Amino acid sequence: MAKVVVGISGGVDSSVAAKLLKDQGHEVIGLFMVNWEEDSDFCTAEQDYEDVKRVCSAIGIPYFSVNYSKEYYDRVFKYFLEEYKKGRTPNPDVLCNREIKFGPFLDYAKSIGADYIATGHYCKKIEKDGKYYLAKAKDLNKDQSYFLNQLSQDQLKYVLFPLADINKPQVREIAKNLGLVNAEKKDSTGICFIGERNFKKFLKEYLPAKPGKIMTLDGREVGKHDGLMYYTIGQRRGLGIGGRSDSNGERWFVLKKDLKNNILYVSQGEGEELFSSGMISEKFNWIPEKPKENEFDCFAKFRYRQPDQKVHVKIVDEHIEVSFYDKQRAVTPGQFVVLYKDDEFGNSLCLGGAVIDKVIK
């Protein structure tokens, strides 16, 4: 059996992952990662660690805490701010997985003699012909392979995903039967450093806001924005331009941002302007390996909760150009495109992912 360090967050998923590994006979150690210290009142880390203590005691495994707040600030938060400066909408959770959970965490686990690390992610690792593949979990409703699209072969080699073949209700049932304090704990959503606070107020602490005009594509000024960084493509809430006399009664949507002139462009109704026919990525991370063919069909996601979309992919140097079979709504620069393709056994393999750089209308 192996020595496994489990990333314990205080939530039910990682707790049950640790229990399953112990039941399999592994030597299991719980590791709680502190990734944020500034304005910690908005982060639940203190309460989460109390849950970790009680859960690990109930399971019967040792646990400890490691502080990665400096690494998180340098590797994830600075990127988060830089993307907002560019007027883009980043996904720091993807970067956190690559740079923290499967970076310093993995290195630390190796330094104390661990054979593997494990997490409570809903996804599956498949080993074939000396290569490691990332696949969707059995519970497709909870599958989190999208957030792991930046993992490398070296990182996948040393990770276990105990929740690959069970679903969320089963996880909660296991926790309930064990009497774990977090059996009914609400799933964490969003980013720790933002927490329950006002997003605009938080961002303003780190980036200067620059108010400007809200305009339609035909040149009408319909309002004022608080700063382009506060808005994302396709957004329809919080624009503050409802009830205009020249309105047709439909909702307003964010179409695009003109960073140079500090203009936010909007439209009423989900018109053609909100849809695109393709996109170009930044450098693409191929998880198993770069395909031999330069063009192929597969499926893609442009945001986490989106159903798979059929696309045509063309590899150009280190990035990809993606053409959509069906026009896509609100594809957003700064977010990730993640590719999937089924294997001969019916597994939906994650080919990898990249940041969306440009959208083709």
Side-chain angles (χ1 to χ4, degrees):
M1 292 292 104
K3 182 176 182 179
V4 185
V5 178
V6 182
I8 296 278
S9 66
V12 67
D13 295 327
S14 57
S15 301
V16 170
K19 171 62 175 172
L20 292 175
L21 288 168
K22 188 186 178 189
D23 288 349
Q24 291 167 17
H26 298 296
E27 178 189 350
V28 180
I29 301 169
L31 175 71
F32 179 77
M33 288 171 274
V34 177
N35 293 333
W36 188 258
E37 288 186 319
E38 298 189 23
D39 302 323
S40 57
D41 290 346
F42 293 98
C43 199
T44 60
E46 191 173 323
Q47 180 56 53
D48 288 339
Y49 191 47
E50 289 303 313
D51 289 342
V52 166
K53 294 177 183 177
R54 296 165 73 181
V55 164
C56 289
S57 296
I59 296 173
I61 62 171
Y63 61 89
F64 57 98
S65 173
V66 175
N67 192 313
Y68 290 133
S69 56
K70 183 181 186 305
E71 289 87 345
Y72 190 91
Y73 194 95
D74 290 342
R75 300 187 188 185
V76 179
F77 188 64
K78 284 182 179 178
Y79 169 84
F80 172 86
L81 294 180
E82 284 301 317
E83 286 291 276
Y84 272 107
K85 282 182 185 176
K86 296 175 186 175
R88 308 210 306 184
T89 306
N91 190 323
D93 293 333
V94 174
L95 210 60
C96 180
N97 283 321
R98 185 185 75 189
E99 297 293 338
I100 307 296
K101 294 178 182 175
F102 296 85
F105 170 33
L106 175 56
D107 293 339
Y108 187 83
K110 287 181 180 180
S111 76
I112 61 172
D115 300 294
Y116 296 99
I117 61 169
T119 71
H121 285 101
Y122 287 84
C123 54
K124 184 185 297 185
K125 182 178 83 170
I126 299 171
E127 184 179 358
K128 181 182 176 184
D129 299 329
K131 291 187 176 64
Y132 298 94
Y133 296 81
L134 179 67
K136 288 185 181 180
K138 177 182 177 182
D139 188 345
L140 295 178
N141 185 54
K142 293 297 294 183
D143 173 65
Q144 293 170 302
S145 58
Y146 177 91
F147 295 110
L148 302 178
N149 73 76
Q150 290 295 294
L151 295 191
S152 67
Q153 286 291 290
D154 286 342
Q155 290 171 320
L156 269 178
K157 180 179 181 180
Y158 295 103
V159 66
L160 301 176
F161 298 118
L163 307 186
D165 295 312
I166 61 177
N167 58 39
K168 186 71 179 206
Q170 288 175 297
V171 166
R172 290 207 181 274
E173 188 65 24
I174 292 169
K176 188 176 179 182
N177 291 339
L178 290 170
L180 299 185
V181 295
N182 56 9
E184 300 297 331
K185 188 175 182 178
K186 183 181 176 183
D187 289 346
S188 61
T189 57
I191 307 157
C192 176
F193 56 74
I194 295 177
E196 297 298 322
R197 75 183 106 183
N198 181 280
F199 177 74
K200 282 187 177 181
K201 186 177 178 182
F202 169 77
L203 210 53
K204 194 179 289 185
E205 293 175 15
Y206 295 91
L207 297 175
K210 187 180 177 183
K213 298 177 181 178
I214 300 178
M215 300 186 69
T216 61
L217 291 178
D218 60 9
R220 285 187 299 140
E221 183 178 338
V222 293
K224 301 287 185 182
H225 67 75
D226 299 324
L228 293 179
M229 61 188 175
Y230 301 134
Y231 306 88
T232 189
I233 307 303
Q235 180 178 330
R236 63 183 177 85
R237 296 180 186 276
L239 302 183
I241 49 176
R244 290 178 55 86
S245 60
D246 58 351
S247 169
N248 60 17
E250 293 189 78
R251 287 185 178 274
W252 292 90
F253 291 87
V254 174
L255 288 181
K256 63 178 182 177
K257 306 176 187 181
D258 180 347
L259 208 62
K260 182 180 178 181
N261 297 301
N262 196 32
I263 297 172
L264 184 72
Y265 284 98
V266 298
S267 70
Q268 278 197 289
E270 292 190 279
E272 278 294 307
E273 302 92 347
L274 199 55
F275 290 78
S276 53
S277 58
M279 52 133 292
I280 299 172
S281 80
E282 293 185 359
K283 183 179 179 180
F284 197 90
N285 176 61
W286 299 102
I287 290 179
E289 60 186 343
K290 190 175 181 179
K292 292 180 176 62
E293 63 271 31
N294 285 327
E295 292 193 43
F296 55 90
D297 283 354
C298 65
F299 293 91
K301 286 179 184 289
F302 309 103
R303 53 186 176 274
Y304 171 48
R305 282 295 181 186
Q306 181 183 32
D308 289 2
Q309 304 294 311
K310 187 178 179 182
V311 298
H312 183 76
V313 175
K314 182 179 180 182
I315 301 174
V316 182
D317 298 324
E318 294 188 320
H319 68 267
I320 61 170
E321 296 180 0
V322 183
S323 300
F324 312 150
Y325 278 91
D326 296 310
K327 285 190 173 184
Q328 297 295 308
R329 178 192 181 277
V331 176
T332 307
Q335 293 286 293
F336 280 83
V337 54
V338 182
L339 303 182
Y340 293 90
K341 201 165 191 176
D342 291 347
D343 68 8
E344 65 270 31
F345 304 108
N347 297 299
S348 181
L349 302 180
C350 177
L351 302 183
V355 173
I356 298 166
D357 187 32
K358 296 177 182 176
V359 175
I360 301 169
K361 294 293 182 180

